[in-house]
Structure formats: structure tokens, C-alpha cells
Amino acid sequence: MGGTVVPEDAPDRGAVILDRLFADARRRRCVTHVEHVPARIGTRLPWPVWADPVLVSRLRAVGIDEPWTHQVHAAEHAHGGRSVVLATGTASGKSLGYLMPVLSVLLAQASARALYLAPTKALAHDQLRAVRALNLTGVRAATYDGDTSASERDWVRAHATFVLTNPDMLHHGVLPSHRRWAAFLRGLRYVVVDECHGYRGVFGSHVAHVLRRLRRVAARYGSTPVFVLASATVSDPGRSAGRLTGLDVEVVDDDASPRGATRFVLYEPPLVTSWRPPASAVVAPTPGGMGPEGHGESPIHGHNGAPVRRSATAEASDLLADLVTDGVRTLVFVRSRRAAEVVAQSARRALSDVSRDLADRVAAYRAGYLPEERRALEADLRSGRLLGVAATNALELGVDVTGLDAAIITGYPGTLASLWQQAGRAGRNGQGAVAVLVARDDPLDTYLVHHQEAVFGRPVEATVLDPDNPYVLGPHLECAAAELPLTEADFDLFGPAARTTVDDLVRRGRLRRRPAGWYWTHRYRPDVDIRGVGGAPVRIVEASTGRLLGTVDAATSHSTVHRGAVYLHQGSFYVVIELDLDVAVAFVEADTPDWTTWARELTDIKVLDVARSRTVGEVELQLGTVEVSSQVVAYQRRQIVTGRVVGEEPLDLPPRHLRTRAVWYTVTDGLLAEAEIDEDDVPGAVHAAEHAAIGILPLFATCDRWDIGGVSTALHPDTGRTTVFVYDGHPGGAGFAERGFLRGEPWLRATRDVIAACECTAGCPSCVQSPKCGNGNEPLDKPAARRLLETVLRRLDPAGPGRDTPS
């Protein structure tokens, strides 16, 4: 809450951990760079004169003698009625910046109310624990989320003065029932939006309209709340916060909190040699070892003859096991629920050879667990009973866990903001710490660990969201009309596209025009999924017992819980025996496979319109609207440690259609000839260039490679040329393709660089192979892709600077 205090004589624990972790020569060879982030001294200011004296005394009692400078500056803005975004680093005490004005007004005015929004339940419950620990009898704080019982919800509406919830519950539970919340909304003084940098892409656009709807409904009850936003360090936080709320927002981004020194390691797993783990192994080898990989052993080659690099999850499992053996409290961040289970299980198996007690002090933490499971894990992590946790980004956010020594980031998380947020979870007690980015076998990760200036030498990116996306705006206008009839005055609130969108909704019979405004025409509520995935979640049920194990969203169910897919829950393996899309249920049975599964998807694309275009000689770069048709047609079984394909099975799933935005470039036959690419080699060249471009675009846009897709063809019917497409994987687009268009030259130059720098000869997952390729990564021609990109770049930027740093 108050931020970390670093003792002057604090030992550099990070240096000690680093020396022990990389004492092994084989592991040291995987280190491409170590960045020393120095310690920093903090600066304080006196408590504001308006801060409630009881609150100040309670904060002093828990060790906060005075607030940091940035906390006071943000609090003064909020107290003065000015919406503000506080954008500072992890563990800088952002929560005190908003709690000072919020709790002071709640203690001073019995009718005052405040709303807190967090992107995860864990964060909201953590904030509730912190507020209740202050023992302020004048503040009645409570969470309101999917875990809140019906009787508790009634109490919250009637009595709570500080409600902690999430955008989903605000959208589904509060705004549609605003009349039941009338007293709360009438007294609403503050709205806190925590971790607001996470509201990006389609989800961020949805949340932007949920907040506009909140402002509209609050105004109906006579309140104009001040918005206080907390963000990680991002580029242009004021603009991002303004687009999110629709308000003018003050900015406080000068971090005055102290911090301990951090050793930040960039780490590339080794190529797998002729050593192989036992056939039954699905885990990493014992702590300290990566198998008998000597200098004289030759690399294993996987699919299409590409060299196989050891997986990031297997490497992270080893690192976790070694750190726990040394008593180092460690968080491992992974990209998926499955990976969290695999890493934790692998480390536990490795540790069981050392100590059963140590093995029991490692766990996985991810979405999909039952509420009581999550609360128990959070308590064990805070208390120190757990030494190691493998987690999805559910623990990236500001859950207050002190005393952590190390953070392992398994694969680049998609943005620098998230990277630093995850790395900052270590060292939160003010001691030195270690952060390790373990690269996946992926173009972007490979680029970053070999170009440290792209990690440490550039500003954090801006948050990308597009509230004017018609696929987002239209449904929220329907929701707004169902809450209160729309009027002309509302169009300014919802943006410049609101009036034309309302007219379209009237033509489609979704809204009806009356003298008093526009009305929702149906008895039922509009069905809007703000997570942007569409459809009801698919439940995962154990066939033999009927036990509900978890859920996955509808959009990813075709690729994650298809027939034959491997699913992990609490360390146990299951195999899907049936996916029933009609009832949204995947039936599974327990199993112990030594392989995992990867879905194969075929994709086609049609150009609907061109919004922007740039032509330079034989190269045309364009941005526009496309329709993408995709179908999961098969799945591969792959060994867990090496990723080698050991089998493939067909699937019969229906196609899906997506209208979205894309960026694409086309080239002429003459340019292909200049690049010395024969007609037969064109498909492999553009396919390889497409994969690498998808992998590297997240360096220029706040997205993940799984947020975007691509198609390449030697002759596309809509362009009449050889064409490479990269598209947003969300209806209506999310702004990622537009960012690619605006940063075309540096994006393609970085794509060329990652291909040129890769040590393989014919292509591998580090450069041109893709984990989600619908054609099994065939054909791919790495040398031709490099020549193609070099020739394209000579047209787009004849000056040809050596390297661009993304902005």
C-alpha cells in the first residue's frame, strides 16, 4: 500500500541468487545479457492537511510514516475533483495514492460512496484485505463479484460504502439493475480503476464503454464521480486513460518510491542434443541439470528438419526447482493455464527427489480454479508456506505479496508494461532480486534476447484501444438504451461514431426512435460479452463423475478442448473424449500422456475495403477491412520436452467467420525476380515472411501473437499480386493492424533482422516456424524470405537505417 522501504544496509540478495543459479557452465551459456537495474532512494512529503486523522494514524501504525511524493500528488488531484492517472512502477504504493482521498471522504461523509474496479478477483480481494486491515469502522467495504452469494449481494447494495468489483460485474450486475443501486450511485464520489494498462485491445474498448455507461447512469442520480486510475509505467498514460474514461485526466508519472537492485537476465534455452529424457518423463530433469548435453553431441532435429530448442516451460521448471531448493521464494509467470500446471508439476517431481517437504511447497495458480482454491493459494503465498508458484497473469497484477526473491517470465508477455510488471513482483520487500526472461522458441522472444536495447533501451509502449470499433460500440449503445433511453446529449459521451451507429441499430430493429429518445425494443437484455470472445464459456466436465473441472472461453474451445486435446487441472492430466458445442461442454477422462496437443487451423481471407494505402514502386502497403474464414481441421501430438510432432489426427469442427481489420503488403513479379525468388519458391518465401512478421508485430503494438493472425499467398484474387496479410483476431479490429501499417518500415526491418540473425539454415521456431500454422509449417523458405524482405525494405526506405527502436 505504502510502497517498499529499502533499508540503507539492505544486502544485495539478487547478486547472491544470480551467482548460485548460474554457477553451472551449461546454464551460463544460455545467458545472452544481464541488466543491472540499480537501487533507488525514495522521497516523501507530509500527509495532506485534508487527510482524515484516524486514517493517517492507522497508516502510521502499519509503518507508513509519510507518503511518497507521487502518492501525495495523485491524492491532491483527486481530492481537488480532478480525474487523475497514477502511472508508476510495481511496488510503488499506487494504492495509497487513491485510498487517501477515497477513505478520507468515506470517513467524513456518511452518504459518500466509492467504487473500485480491478481486472481480476484476486486483486479486488487483496485490496479488500488491505482496507479491512486498517480497521476503519466508518468504512463498510465489500467485494461484489461472481463469488458473492445472493444474500451478500443484497447487503452490499444496501449498506456497503466502498464496493470492490470488476468491469464484468459492473456491466452485468450493476448497470442493468441501477435502480436497485440508486442510493449507492447517488452518493458515488470516486471510481478507482486499478491496473488500467491492462484494458487494451477489444477488452479495453468494451471497458471504455462500460465506464461511459457508468458515468451516464451516475449522472441520472445526480453524481459526477472523480476517476482515479492506477497504471504500470506506460507511454502517454494520460491519453490512454482519457480514451478509457472519456475524460480529461491529470497525469502523475514521476515515481518517487525506493526500490532494491534487480539483476534482469535474458536467457535463451539451449538446443536439444542427442540426449533424451525417459519416455515416461513429462517433466524437467532433476535440479541443476538439463540432461547430459556435452559439446560433442549433435542437436536433435524436429519437424521439417529444424533444430529443436528446449522448451521455455521445461527450462523454467528447472530454474524453479533449483531456486526452491535454495529457499528462494519464486514466482514463475507462464502464458497459459496448461503451462502453469506443467511447470508446477515438473518442479514438484524434480524436488521430490530432494525433499518431499519442498515438493509440497510448490503450486500452480491460474484462472479456472474454484474460489476457495484461489484464496488458499493466495494466503499460502503471502505467508511463505509456498516457496514456488507457477502462475498465469492472474498474479501479474498488484496482489500484495512481499518477500519474493525471484521472478521467472516464461516467454515475453506481449508488452514491456507487462514484462516490467511481472519482473517487479520480485524484490517487493526492498531486498535485491533476480528476474529472468526465458525465451520461447519464437521470433519475437529470439529477437528480444539478442537485442537487449529493445527491452532496456526504449520507453514502454502506449496502450492501444479503439472505442469507436462498431462491433463494440453498437452493443453498448443497446445496453445503454436498455438502462435509460438514449438522447441526443448522449452522443458526445459515446464518441463521434455514436449517431451513425444508432441510426444503423434503428434500421436493424434493435432500437426504436420516440420523441423522448431511442429505446431498446426487446424484453430481454442485450447479450454482450465484454471479454470479446463471444458465446457461453465451455465447461470441462469429468465424464465418469460429472465433476466440473473448469471452463474455457468459446472462442478458444475449438483449439484447446477439441476431441483428443490434453487438459491439465491441479497437476492431473485429462484427455478430451468429446466436445459438444450444442451444450458447450467438453467431457474429459483422466490419463497420463507423455505428449501435449496443438490444433491445426486453415484460414482464408477476403478484402472488403481499403482504408489507407501507400505505394512505393513495386510495393504496396495497405490497411483495410477483411473477412477471415477459419476452421480447426486436425491436431498434432507433440512431445512435451522437445516439441517434436509424434502424430496427427483429423477433426470435424465447423468453420468460423471473422470481419476485422488487416494490414497487408503486395509485391510485383518484377520485385520477386529482383529478389531472385523463382515462381516455385514464392509460396515458401511469403509464408516464412508472414510467420516472422506475426511473431515480431507485438514489439510495435500492445498485443500478443495470439491476438493476431496471418495469410500469405503467391497470388491473391482481390489484390492480383503476391500478398502477405496480418489481421486483428477480434471482430471489428483492435488497432494492432493499424499500428503495423503506421510502423511498416521498422516492423518489416525487425522481421528481416530476426530471420537474418537466427543461426538455423532452413528455418526454425525462433525465426519463421509458427506454433499455430494451419499448414504444418510447410512450405517455408527462410533464405528467400530474407531476400524478399530486404528487397521490399529497399523500396519502402531507401536510406535503410541499420535498426529501428520500436516506439
Side-chain angles (χ1 to χ4, degrees):
M1 181 186 296
T4 301
V5 177
V6 182
E8 292 184 4
D9 59 348
D12 191 350
R13 180 156 169 73
V16 176
I17 296 170
L18 191 69
D19 289 343
R20 289 182 61 86
L21 187 61
F22 295 103
D24 182 87
R26 291 169 297 180
R27 187 171 281 168
R28 284 200 304 273
R29 288 196 294 270
C30 297
V31 176
T32 63
H33 180 74
V34 179
E35 184 81 4
H36 178 240
V37 182
R40 179 181 63 205
I41 298 173
T43 58
R44 299 182 183 272
L45 284 176
W47 293 101
V49 294
W50 49 260
D52 185 271
V54 175
L55 172 62
V56 171
S57 68
R58 298 291 162 78
L59 291 169
R60 283 176 170 154
V62 296
I64 305 175
D65 295 326
E66 286 184 325
W68 305 119
T69 301
H70 62 273
Q71 294 169 330
V72 174
H73 289 166
E76 291 283 10
H77 280 303
H79 177 72
R82 299 178 296 275
S83 293
V84 61
V85 58
L86 177 55
T88 53
T90 307
S92 60
K94 289 186 283 289
S95 59
L96 185 58
Y98 55 74
L99 287 179
M100 265 193 283
V102 167
L103 297 180
S104 291
V105 76
L106 294 181
L107 290 168
Q109 301 175 19
S111 62
R113 300 291 184 267
L115 183 69
Y116 169 92
L117 298 174
T120 66
K121 295 177 185 177
L123 182 53
H125 281 267
D126 188 73
Q127 287 294 302
L128 176 66
R129 181 188 58 80
V131 171
R132 286 182 172 174
L134 295 174
N135 195 27
L136 300 168
T137 55
V139 176
R140 298 185 297 276
T143 54
Y144 185 83
D145 57 33
D147 299 337
T148 309
S149 67
S151 59
E152 290 173 323
R153 293 184 185 193
D154 291 339
W155 185 93
V156 171
R157 281 190 292 265
H159 302 292
T161 58
F162 191 19
V163 175
L164 300 96
T165 186
N166 53 66
D168 307 80
M169 286 300 293
L170 178 60
H171 165 62
H172 288 294
V174 177
L175 295 175
S177 306
H178 60 85
R179 291 172 182 83
R180 302 179 69 185
W181 289 84
F184 183 89
L185 292 167
R186 191 172 293 113
L188 188 60
R189 298 293 180 267
Y190 289 105
V191 176
V192 177
V193 184
D194 207 355
E195 305 292 347
C196 67
H197 63 280
Y199 299 123
R200 58 186 177 89
V202 171
F203 178 48
S205 302
H206 277 293
V207 173
H209 286 299
V210 172
L211 296 181
R212 284 160 174 76
R213 287 164 48 205
L214 171 63
R215 290 173 52 205
R216 177 173 179 262
V217 168
R220 163 68 174 76
Y221 294 96
S223 67
T224 307
V226 173
F227 280 73
V228 187
L229 301 97
S231 170
T233 303
V234 296
S235 176
D236 201 357
R239 183 176 185 275
S240 298
R243 285 181 66 78
L244 187 64
T245 61
L247 295 166
D248 292 331
V249 178
E250 302 290 340
V251 177
V252 175
D253 57 2
D254 187 8
D255 193 337
S257 66
R259 69 179 179 206
T262 299
R263 262 69 177 185
F264 203 132
V265 180
L266 302 183
Y267 185 95
E268 184 175 45
L271 295 174
V272 179
T273 67
S274 56
W275 169 82
R276 291 178 175 84
S280 61
V282 294
V283 299
T286 55
M290 296 179 288
E293 297 173 345
H295 288 294
E297 295 173 320
S298 58
I300 292 175
H301 288 76
H303 188 56
N304 294 342
V308 175
R309 194 170 295 280
R310 194 160 190 261
S311 73
T313 52
E315 203 69 21
S317 300
D318 273 2
L319 293 169
L320 175 60
D322 282 1
L323 288 165
V324 170
T325 300
D326 285 340
V328 177
R329 293 181 63 189
T330 305
L331 261 180
V332 179
F333 288 102
V334 295
R335 305 298 302 279
S336 67
R337 300 180 182 187
R338 176 187 297 176
E341 298 283 1
V342 168
V343 169
Q345 184 190 54
S346 300
R348 283 196 298 263
R349 289 196 183 184
L351 287 165
S352 64
D353 293 337
V354 179
S355 165
R356 184 69 258 171
D357 175 65
L358 284 177
D360 290 340
R361 298 181 72 181
V362 173
Y365 183 103
R366 60 171 177 81
Y369 282 174
L370 298 175
E372 55 269 24
E373 293 175 321
R374 293 196 304 270
R375 305 290 177 264
L377 286 168
E378 291 160 17
D380 288 345
L381 185 57
R382 276 193 295 267
S383 69
R385 194 200 74 78
L386 285 176
L387 275 176
V389 172
T392 57
N393 64 355
L395 275 180
E396 169 189 327
L397 305 177
V399 178
D400 186 16
V401 182
T402 58
L404 298 180
D405 303 305
I408 300 171
I409 301 117
T410 313
Y412 182 63
T415 67
L416 282 176
S418 289
L419 180 71
W420 286 106
Q421 190 86 345
Q422 293 180 3
R425 299 312 305 275
R428 288 173 74 106
N429 63 349
Q431 306 298 308
V434 168
V436 183
L437 172 60
V438 181
R440 293 172 299 165
D441 213 357
D442 169 274
L444 178 56
D445 286 39
T446 301
Y447 181 90
L448 291 173
V449 296
H450 290 284
H451 295 80
Q452 65 265 21
E453 73 280 357
V455 178
F456 304 109
R458 68 183 179 103
V460 176
E461 60 277 287
T463 301
V464 176
L465 66 151
D466 181 16
D468 294 328
N469 180 336
Y471 288 86
V472 175
L473 175 59
H476 282 283
L477 289 171
E478 294 177 358
C479 291
E483 290 152 7
L484 295 167
L486 286 168
T487 66
E488 294 276 356
D490 294 322
F491 293 148
D492 287 341
L493 176 66
F494 287 102
R499 181 56 188 262
T500 57
T501 304
V502 165
D503 291 341
D504 180 63
L505 292 172
V506 171
R507 282 193 299 270
R508 292 163 48 200
R510 305 291 290 177
L511 297 181
R512 182 172 298 165
R513 179 75 185 267
R514 289 287 183 266
W518 288 263
Y519 288 75
W520 174 242
T521 57
H522 302 281
R523 293 180 179 273
Y524 56 83
R525 292 279 313 166
D527 183 15
V528 181
D529 180 358
I530 69 169
R531 297 285 170 173
V533 293
V538 174
R539 293 164 293 163
I540 300 158
V541 175
E542 189 174 25
S544 59
T545 65
R547 182 167 63 107
L548 177 65
L549 300 179
T551 61
V552 297
D553 61 73
T556 62
S557 62
H558 286 216
S559 57
T560 56
V561 289
H562 54 76
R563 174 182 50 80
V566 175
Y567 178 76
L568 279 136
H569 180 75
Q570 291 280 45
S572 297
F573 284 89
Y574 298 85
V575 173
V576 179
I577 57 177
E578 181 187 0
L579 171 60
D580 190 331
L581 295 173
D582 292 334
V583 295
V585 175
F587 296 98
V588 302
E589 60 184 7
D591 204 344
T592 55
D594 59 358
W595 39 263
T596 186
T597 48
W598 293 80
R600 284 193 53 197
E601 192 167 30
L602 298 182
T603 306
D604 193 16
I605 194 165
K606 179 181 180 181
V607 176
L608 300 181
D609 69 59
V610 177
R612 301 179 69 176
S613 182
R614 179 188 172 197
T615 302
V616 184
E618 300 95 326
V619 177
E620 196 166 43
L621 183 67
Q622 296 184 313
L623 174 74
T625 303
V626 298
E627 183 176 83
V628 181
S629 300
S630 59
Q631 184 176 20
V632 174
V633 296
Y635 69 92
Q636 295 177 337
R637 292 192 298 273
R638 298 184 181 183
Q639 291 179 342
I640 289 178
V641 174
T642 67
R644 295 181 69 193
V645 177
V646 295
E648 181 169 314
E649 298 291 335
L651 291 170
D652 183 20
L653 289 168
R656 290 165 295 165
H657 302 281
L658 172 70
R659 186 184 177 108
T660 186
R661 302 274 279 178
V663 56
W664 63 92
Y665 64 91
T666 69
V667 297
T668 63
D669 292 343
L671 187 140
L672 293 172
E674 180 183 332
E676 300 179 352
I677 302 174
D678 296 333
E679 183 178 352
D680 291 342
D681 296 330
V682 172
V686 295
H687 194 195
E690 170 217 326
H691 282 182
I694 291 171
I696 214 73
L697 181 58
L699 195 61
F700 298 86
T702 51
C703 67
D704 180 270
R705 75 174 297 157
W706 298 93
D707 291 328
I708 53 181
V711 175
S712 56
T713 176
L715 180 63
H716 193 273
D718 295 330
T719 67
R721 288 182 172 188
T722 298
T723 309
V724 176
F725 294 88
V726 176
Y727 61 85
D728 292 351
H730 302 278
F736 309 139
E738 182 177 13
R739 189 69 174 168
F741 177 83
L742 295 174
R743 300 283 291 159
E745 294 97 327
W747 169 37
L748 294 180
R749 185 172 299 109
T751 302
R752 186 273 316 275
D753 288 350
V754 78
I755 295 175
C758 187
E759 59 190 337
C760 75
T761 56
C764 69
S766 293
C767 56
V768 300
Q769 288 189 356
S770 169
K772 57 178 183 176
C773 178
N775 293 316
N777 285 301
E778 293 180 348
L780 292 175
D781 190 330
K782 175 187 174 180
R786 178 179 177 177
R787 297 196 304 273
L788 171 65
L789 287 164
E790 287 173 343
T791 308
V792 168
L793 286 166
R794 282 197 294 269
R795 297 300 191 279
L796 292 179
D797 188 1
R803 181 177 298 149
D804 274 70
T805 299
S807 62

